[in-house]
Amino acid sequence: MAPLQIRQNYLGVFAVETDRIPGSYEMNFVDIAKEFADLNIFNSYTRARIIGIAEIFSVRSGTVSASQITLQSLSEFKFKTLQVAKPVTYNGYLKYLRIIGDYALSQHLIDKNLFRGVKLAPLGL
């Protein structure tokens, strides 16, 4: 097994290369959201919203690292969110989580954006 390499992003956050996916790095999900927002968002409200949603996801799903995201953690997030919020709120969260997942995928931090496989909640039920 090759030695693991360390990547430092522009925020000074370190990510560790994983053996699971060659050339990929393991990084905190909230840090990925911060990096994405800092590079791509120009509105401070939207930036704070994206980071806040990433924090909510991490707490409700029990995941810290992007590589820990599984179908089970997505199910846990959905269940806990729909206990305290309306489907429209869950759908809004999911839309932002998909964008963060797309960014993580483009940076080779995950091998698949599992958020893209989750359906939006039906409204009006």
Side-chain angles (χ1 to χ4, degrees), residues 10-30:
Y10 80 103
L11 292 173
V13 177
F14 290 93
V16 179
E17 185 176 26
T18 66
D19 340 349
R20 193 172 58 84
I21 309 165
S24 68
Y25 295 85
E26 188 160 326
M27 195 168 163
N28 181 300
F29 188 70
V30 174

Side-chain angles (χ1 to χ4, degrees), residues 67-79:
S67 65
Q68 294 175 325
I69 298 170
T70 63
L71 294 176
Q72 179 62 36
S73 63
L74 293 174
S75 178
E76 186 74 16
F77 170 74
K78 176 184 160 191
F79 177 75

Side-chain angles (χ1 to χ4, degrees), residues 27-88:
M27 195 168 163
N28 181 300
F29 188 70
V30 174
D31 288 336
I32 295 169
K34 287 178 184 175
E35 182 176 289
F36 168 78
D38 286 344
L39 292 171
N40 298 289
I41 304 302
F42 298 93
N43 176 298
S44 60
Y45 172 80
T46 305
R47 180 188 180 280
R49 186 85 174 124
I50 289 171
I51 295 167
I53 290 169
E55 291 170 345
I56 289 168
F57 174 77
S58 289
V59 169
R60 291 184 185 164
S61 67
T63 61
V64 175
S65 168
S67 65
Q68 294 175 325
I69 298 170
T70 63
L71 294 176
Q72 179 62 36
S73 63
L74 293 174
S75 178
E76 186 74 16
F77 170 74
K78 176 184 160 191
F79 177 75
K80 287 182 179 178
T81 299
L82 291 174
Q83 284 185 323
V84 297
K86 293 183 179 185
V88 68

